[in-house]
Amino acid sequence: MIEWNYIVIGLCVLLLIFLIWKEVKRANKARFGWRLLATIFAVIGLACLALPITYRHAENDAINREAVLLTEGFSPDSVNNFLSVNNNNIPVFRMNKNLKRAGKYNASYIPDIDLFAQRHKDLHTFHVFGYGMEQDDLEGLKNWSLIFHQAKLSSGITSIKWSHKIRTGEKLFIQGSFNNPSSSKVKIVLKSFNATLDSVNVLSGTNQKFQLATIPKHAGRAVSLVIALAGKDTIEKEMVPVEVEQGDPLKVLILASSPDFDNKFLKDRLAQNGYVVVERTSVSKNKFEKNFLNTPTVPLGRITSSLLDKFDVTIADAAALNSLSTPELTSIQTQVAQKSMGLIVKADSVSNSSFYSSSFPLATSGNRQLLGLSLSDSTNFPAINVESVLSIRSMPGTQPLVADKQNRVFVNSSLFGSGKIVLTTLANTFSWALAGYQNDYDKFWTELLNKVSAKQVADEAWTISPALPKINKRVQVQVHTNSAKVPQGQVGEAAVYLKQNPDLPYQWDGIFYPTKAGWQVGIQLSGKPFYWYAYDKSDWKMIGEKERLEATVRYLFDHNNILRKGEKEARMIDREINKLIFLLLFLFCAGYMWFENKV
């Protein structure tokens, strides 16, 4: 096209030069100037007939080229104001068939965005009211410009996160954010089996983060509730499904240098909770008291590697470790460093020299005191009396677990080879149980045991995304496995086709659409079931609204041709000048020269 333009222009320039030369050579010089102008304009008209002559035109807000798109959360007042200011004849559409209050505007339903695009090529701009759309719907509107009249988020939970599967005795943390634009505070309560487990207050006029925590008492699958209350009114009630895996009970070896109440309470409580417990207490030189709970007897005369292979965790006071022979102590050290056995050391003196001592230097901070302690996650314990305040100085590579308000550390942890070591200076935790704080006693020791015990590595791992899957929505099923066989996915009675990731050969992905809310049962490659939960469309509504709003705003910024709220639209288009104008110009100029030549 460009080459044709150059050819036309070149020929017309040569023609113009030739005609001007003819006029200059013409003997009759009468009306020379007019003939020269007529010659020039005649050639220009001829050139414009052969060339595409266009001009830029600003097309402003043509009403018949705009439309309103209603989404969840739209404000009727905003829509009414827009229509009254612009034109009530602007067409109104909706992509949600059951969108509330859309009937007032005779909003037409868009079942298929591609078919809609073919039938409405005259439209170029959508005014989107509400919380916007999901990413897939936005991609269907990529051929249009969008003006987003976003709605404000109402009161509710806007983000949430928790572990859907935990082990027996492990603490459940529920973390999230709550948007409270009201003038009164909101109370968020965690309930399970009609019992209130934890609660937190959200201040008025804030978007506040919150955390709820508990140690579930149930085994298997159960659904707890997170309830938001404004006074006596329930703002939101959401389901929190959690699966508690019992798994194999921990096997615990207790080594004590002398009988004490703390070890007695500990072994009895662990046994009641299903742990395998073996205790060896020194009563005199080379004489021991032995207890075997939930397990048959084993030889305890010497601490050997073959004996330690039978246990996941060893709990020992520093004096008991110091009294061991060098081969016995070496066996414990090797078991922790190379075979991931956990070790909990109960220290009662600053004078200690062992393989773990350098990581946990001790310091005395006074005699009898009442301590207010808390876990690293800010969970508080009841006050506890100690005869001597023995704290642990934090060292690089260690992780404090329990401290007081003065940041003095009383329980600290550290990696040691492939295993972990926890050191505690609290020797009378049984006083919590005696005072009626059994839950706090259980919480303390569960935290220490979970921290120090090695986590079991599964042969295969199944995950579901998104984190809050909903019925009739796409759910990605993913499995990580080192098996050489091609995995077969199954949820309930439905087969799920799994495709191997070309970059990660151990990862396989598939798509599933749940049709019923509630627990979903998947079948692992081993034949064992795995469980996940599908929510109804109305569950976690505020989180869905926030996600759509953020997706729409992100889409606007990612596409430069998209119009944003507050901008006035002006589309610049190219229009071709009517050829009749140039034809008349050419005929007029050529006719003038012919007529003038005759006279």
Side-chain angles (χ1 to χ4, degrees):
M1 186 66 180
I2 295 177
E3 292 180 358
W4 166 253
N5 292 343
Y6 289 150
I7 292 172
V8 171
I9 293 173
L11 292 176
C12 289
V13 169
L14 292 175
L15 177 62
L16 180 61
I17 293 173
F18 173 74
L19 293 176
I20 292 177
W21 179 76
K22 292 288 288 184
E23 290 295 331
V24 172
K25 291 293 184 178
R26 186 171 181 261
N28 185 4
K29 300 295 184 182
R31 296 177 291 278
F32 174 77
W34 288 107
R35 288 185 59 83
L36 193 62
L37 285 175
T39 300
I40 293 173
F41 281 107
V43 173
I44 291 176
L46 181 63
C48 290
L49 285 172
L51 295 174
I53 307 300
T54 61
Y55 67 97
R56 299 286 288 175
H57 173 69
E59 187 181 64
N60 291 312
D61 289 342
I63 289 176
N64 63 335
R65 299 177 64 82
E66 291 187 331
V68 169
L69 181 62
L70 303 180
T71 65
E72 290 285 349
F74 75 90
S75 169
D77 291 339
S78 298
V79 177
N80 292 337
N81 292 338
F82 173 81
L83 294 176
S84 62
V85 170
N86 292 273
N87 191 306
N88 287 321
N89 293 324
I90 292 179
V92 181
F93 299 94
R94 56 193 169 99
M95 298 183 71
N96 182 351
K97 189 174 183 180
N98 300 316
L99 184 63
K100 295 181 179 179
R101 300 179 297 182
K104 173 183 177 182
Y105 304 97
N106 295 320
S108 301
Y109 173 55
I110 304 177
D112 188 320
I113 192 65
D114 294 328
L115 183 60
F116 177 85
Q118 296 176 10
R119 294 179 176 177
H120 294 81
K121 294 182 179 180
D122 58 318
L123 295 177
H124 66 72
T125 300
F126 271 118
H127 290 266
V128 181
F129 288 82
Y131 295 122
M133 295 161 286
E134 297 178 358
Q135 188 64 37
D136 291 343
D137 294 332
L138 287 166
E139 290 298 332
L141 296 174
K142 62 184 177 182
N143 293 325
W144 288 282
S145 296
L146 303 183
I147 301 177
F148 188 28
H149 304 258
Q150 69 184 58
K152 292 183 178 179
L153 288 173
S154 55
S155 183
I157 298 173
T158 55
S159 67
I160 199 71
K161 182 180 180 181
W162 74 91
S163 296
H164 293 72
K165 183 182 294 186
I166 61 176
R167 293 171 59 182
T168 301
E170 191 175 350
K171 185 181 294 184
L172 171 67
F173 293 101
I174 301 172
Q175 298 173 320
S177 299
F178 190 92
N179 184 50
N180 181 20
S182 68
S183 58
S184 59
K185 69 178 182 180
V186 172
K187 185 177 184 180
I188 304 177
V189 179
L190 174 62
K191 283 192 172 185
S192 182
F193 301 105
N194 294 323
T196 298
L197 306 178
D198 199 3
S199 64
V200 65
N201 290 324
V202 178
L203 301 178
S204 61
T206 62
N207 189 352
Q208 181 179 320
K209 294 181 179 180
F210 68 88
Q211 176 175 287
L212 301 167
T214 186
I215 297 179
K217 300 299 181 183
H218 70 271
R221 300 176 304 281
V223 178
S224 301
L225 294 174
V226 171
I227 305 173
L229 301 171
K232 295 183 179 180
D233 297 330
T234 300
I235 299 176
E236 191 170 358
K237 180 187 289 187
E238 304 292 357
M239 290 178 288
V240 179
V242 176
E243 182 181 3
V244 180
E245 291 183 310
Q246 287 184 301
D248 296 330
L250 281 180
K251 301 175 181 64
V252 180
L253 172 63
I254 299 177
L255 302 176
S257 59
S258 61
D260 64 25
F261 285 108
D262 208 47
N263 282 334
K264 178 182 180 346
F265 273 84
L266 179 58
K267 70 177 178 62
D268 291 342
R269 190 60 181 173
L270 292 179
Q272 290 174 14
N273 289 334
Y275 291 80
V276 171
V277 182
V278 173
E279 182 193 31
R280 192 187 83 168
T281 303
S282 178
V283 292
S284 64
K285 187 175 182 179
N286 296 328
K287 289 187 178 181
F288 306 100
E289 179 186 346
K290 304 169 186 177
N291 291 287
F292 303 91
L293 305 176
N294 300 329
T295 183
T297 61
V298 293
L300 291 178
R302 290 184 58 80
I303 305 301
T304 63
S305 296
S306 59
L307 172 65
L308 296 174
D309 283 338
K310 296 179 172 62
F311 299 97
D312 303 306
V313 178
T314 294
I315 302 174
D317 56 60
L321 292 176
N322 290 336
S323 66
L324 296 176
S325 65
T326 300
E328 289 178 313
L329 194 61
T330 301
S331 295
I332 292 178
Q333 181 179 353
T334 303
Q335 198 74 15
V336 176
Q338 298 182 9
K339 298 185 179 181
S340 303
M341 184 188 75
L343 176 63
I344 299 177
V345 180
K346 300 167 70 174
D348 57 3
S349 172
V350 294
S351 57
N352 186 29
S353 178
S354 190
F355 63 88
Y356 58 84
S357 303
S358 59
S359 298
F360 307 103
L362 303 175
T364 55
S365 305
N367 295 323
R368 187 178 184 88
Q369 288 186 27
L370 187 67
L371 300 178
L373 303 175
S374 61
L375 284 171
S376 55
D377 62 16
S378 301
T379 300
N380 295 321
F381 290 110
I384 186 172
N385 269 307
V386 294
E387 293 294 333
S388 177
V389 180
L390 188 63
S391 60
I392 309 168
R393 294 199 302 269
S394 294
M395 299 292 289
T398 63
Q399 182 181 14
L401 299 181
V402 178
D404 65 358
K405 295 180 180 178
Q406 302 175 35
N407 290 324
R408 293 179 298 185
V409 179
F410 294 90
V411 181
N412 205 353
S413 65
S414 175
L415 293 173
F416 189 81
S418 62
K420 297 177 183 177
I421 299 177
V422 167
L423 187 136
T424 174
T425 63
L426 301 173
N428 63 330
T429 55
F430 69 92
S431 61
W432 284 327
L434 290 178
Y437 300 112
Q438 188 67 62
N439 289 339
D440 295 284
Y441 179 79
D442 291 344
K443 188 182 300 182
F444 176 86
W445 280 105
T446 299
E447 183 72 19
L448 267 61
L449 289 167
N450 286 338
K451 185 67 179 179
V452 80
S453 59
K455 300 297 184 290
Q456 297 179 354
V457 180
D459 294 332
E460 56 184 280
W462 293 79
T463 57
I464 302 296
S465 62
L468 301 174
K470 294 191 175 183
I471 59 173
N472 300 323
K473 293 287 186 179
R474 183 174 63 180
V475 175
Q476 184 178 37
V477 180
Q478 187 177 95
V479 60
H480 287 188
T481 178
N482 292 322
S483 174
K485 298 180 180 179
V486 177
Q488 299 295 320
Q490 183 176 340
V491 178
E493 300 297 326
V496 180
Y497 170 72
L498 297 175
K499 182 180 180 182
Q500 189 175 31
N501 189 310
D503 298 322
L504 304 172
Y506 58 84
Q507 178 178 309
W508 298 74
D509 301 277
I511 300 298
F512 178 74
Y513 288 83
T515 57
K516 293 183 179 180
W519 288 103
Q520 313 290 313
V521 184
I523 307 299
Q524 300 186 55
L525 308 183
S526 61
K528 295 181 180 179
F530 73 95
Y531 300 91
W532 54 282
Y533 198 91
Y535 299 87
D536 201 353
K537 292 181 179 179
S538 59
D539 295 335
W540 299 108
K541 185 177 179 181
M542 280 299 300
I543 292 179
E545 291 172 351
K546 184 183 178 184
E547 289 176 348
R548 288 195 296 274
L549 191 150
E550 291 176 345
T552 305
V553 172
R554 185 167 56 249
Y555 184 84
L556 295 178
F557 281 99
D558 289 344
H559 294 73
N560 295 327
N561 62 325
I562 299 300
L563 300 172
R564 297 171 176 80
K565 184 179 178 181
E567 295 182 359
K568 187 175 180 66
E569 180 183 15
R571 298 187 71 197
M572 301 302 296
I573 63 174
D574 292 329
R575 284 190 173 179
E576 189 171 358
I577 299 176
N578 196 329
K579 297 293 186 181
L580 181 61
I581 297 175
F582 303 117
L583 177 61
L584 293 177
L585 176 64
F586 172 76
L587 293 176
F588 177 78
C589 295
Y592 170 76
M593 290 186 293
W594 176 82
F595 177 76
E596 195 275 339
N597 189 50
K598 290 296 183 182
V599 298

